[in-house]
Amino acid sequence: MHKVGFWGCGNLAKIIAEKLSDGTVTGYQIVGAYDIDPDAAGKLSQICGSKACGSMDELIELMPEYIIEEVSPVVLKKEAFRIIRRGINLIVLSCGAMADDSFASRLAEYAEKSKAKVYLASGAIGGFDIMGAARLMGNLKASVINEKSPEALNGAPYLKGRLLDKEKEELLFYGTAREAIDFFPQNLNVAVAAATATSGVDNTSVCLKSVPGMALNTHIIELEGNFGNASLKISSYPSANNAKSSEIAAWSVLYILWKLRRSIVFY
Ligand SMILES: NC(=O)c1ccc[n+]([C@@H]2O[C@H](COP(=O)([O-])OP(=O)(O)OC[C@H]3O[C@@H](n4cnc5c(N)ncnc54)[C@H](O)[C@@H]3O)[C@@H](O)[C@H]2O)c1
């Protein structure tokens, strides 16, 4: 059994823990779960019979082979180095942190030294295979369009407390992926992930719309380069307990864990 630890015990962590515990993905034992909210860590630990940790140090001391991050880009940036320095592999959901160049390069440096791997989960989108191949072929330009319900966007720093109209569609933001994640840290991890894999956070445009009545979160990624062009559209259901997150994001972590145990996999 491979030992895993949870860093963050909220909505997505719960789905992952349930599916590791009910045998949907086998071969992993959840040894510990840490959340700044001890109640959340306690509840998650009950699902999977793991230790509820009171600190990151306690989680690290259990020496899991993988720590799954489901916290936030800001928290990830503060604490990721400690995990990687100990040679523990990190599975990341808050990919928005990768917009910070100095964080990304330091993380790579530490990982190189400790031989730990950082796995960026595909989250609520996909197509990283074609993005990667197209990037290698050169001249790649990417843009991302995101459409979400006002309920999924309310509370974002960009809105400064303003509540979005429940009836009227609104073009909320147009800018680069780097700007986008600061304004919408809980909504636009996907934009940074797509940008990081393609034309970079300063050269990938992001458009975000608030669309009342939308039952699904929709992401459209347009690619154009030496390879030709591609249009990827992913519409996914928000997770039941957090309209800002898509449930498929939790399953993308389960898919990483599933792949890690297979000899023949798609890359
Ligand atoms: N890459 C993607 O496509 C994608 C998709 C959906 C969500 N996400 C990201 O995944 C992360 C988790 O999403 P979620 O829906 O589970 O969020 P959530 O709010 O339900 O859970 C986050 C948990 O982190 C805990 N937390 C906050 N600060 C902490 C700290 N300093 N130390 C330890 N724990 C702390 C909270 O108490 C909470 O339990 C978010 O960053 C979200 O933006 C990424």
Side-chain angles (χ1 to χ4, degrees):
M1 290 289 252
H2 299 274
K3 295 200 286 181
V4 294
F6 279 71
W7 176 16
C9 303
N11 156 62
L12 296 181
K14 187 166 170 275
I15 301 169
I16 300 164
E18 279 169 357
K19 297 300 162 193
L20 288 180
S21 304
D22 72 7
T24 302
V25 174
T26 57
Y28 294 92
Q29 181 199 2
I30 304 168
V31 290
Y34 165 57
D35 195 291
I36 199 155
D37 171 2
D39 255 14
K43 280 189 189 136
L44 194 97
S45 297
Q46 270 174 8
I47 296 176
C48 52
S50 70
K51 180 176 182 194
C53 300
S55 67
M56 175 55 83
D57 287 336
E58 219 177 308
L59 180 60
I60 288 176
E61 283 320 309
L62 298 171
M63 282 309 285
E65 198 175 329
Y66 303 96
I67 287 183
I68 305 168
E69 176 279 329
E70 325 78 351
V71 184
S72 73
V74 172
V75 178
L76 173 69
K77 284 199 271 182
K78 276 197 205 137
E79 307 245 35
F81 303 120
R82 287 210 281 153
I83 295 166
I84 293 299
R85 272 205 302 251
R86 289 293 292 269
I88 299 171
N89 303 301
L90 184 60
I91 298 177
V92 170
L93 263 168
S94 303
C95 296
M98 302 311 284
D100 181 333
D101 304 327
S102 111
F103 168 73
S105 59
R106 274 181 70 206
L107 193 66
E109 216 175 280
Y110 283 125
E112 188 97 351
K113 276 192 199 136
S114 73
K115 304 291 174 228
K117 293 268 185 222
V118 179
Y119 298 95
L120 303 177
S122 54
I125 55 168
F128 287 93
D129 46 0
I130 195 163
M131 292 185 213
R135 183 188 188 174
L136 286 178
M137 281 182 75
N139 277 329
L140 186 60
K141 189 86 193 100
S143 62
V144 184
I145 300 167
N146 304 270
E147 295 177 354
K148 291 191 171 190
S149 68
E151 294 74 30
L153 294 164
N154 280 334
Y158 185 78
L159 296 172
K160 297 184 176 141
R162 172 168 80 93
L163 286 179
L164 289 165
D165 199 311
K166 285 186 189 160
E167 316 262 304
K168 217 170 72 200
E169 186 173 318
E170 189 179 335
L171 169 60
L172 208 53
F173 172 83
Y174 182 80
T176 65
R178 187 188 296 284
E179 293 160 343
I181 192 67
D182 288 338
F183 291 136
F184 299 93
Q186 288 178 293
N187 297 104
L188 289 177
N189 283 289
V190 287
V192 173
T196 305
T198 56
S199 38
V201 287
D202 292 317
N203 294 312
T204 303
S205 62
V206 177
C207 169
L208 176 62
K209 289 182 198 162
S210 166
V211 183
M214 265 195 99
L216 295 116
N217 295 326
T218 295
H219 309 288
I220 301 161
I221 300 153
E222 304 279 359
L223 305 174
E224 189 157 359
N226 291 344
F227 80 103
N229 62 71
S231 184
L232 311 168
K233 179 174 178 183
I234 300 111
S235 294
S236 55
Y237 289 108
S239 55
N241 299 318
N242 183 353
K244 295 183 192 336
S245 285
S246 294
E247 183 157 342
I248 186 77
W251 288 84
S252 76
V253 169
L254 289 160
Y255 183 51
I256 291 175
L257 294 169
W258 183 88
K259 273 201 293 192
L260 283 165
R261 298 196 55 236
R262 295 290 174 296
S263 310
I264 300 178
V265 288
F266 282 106
Y267 264 105

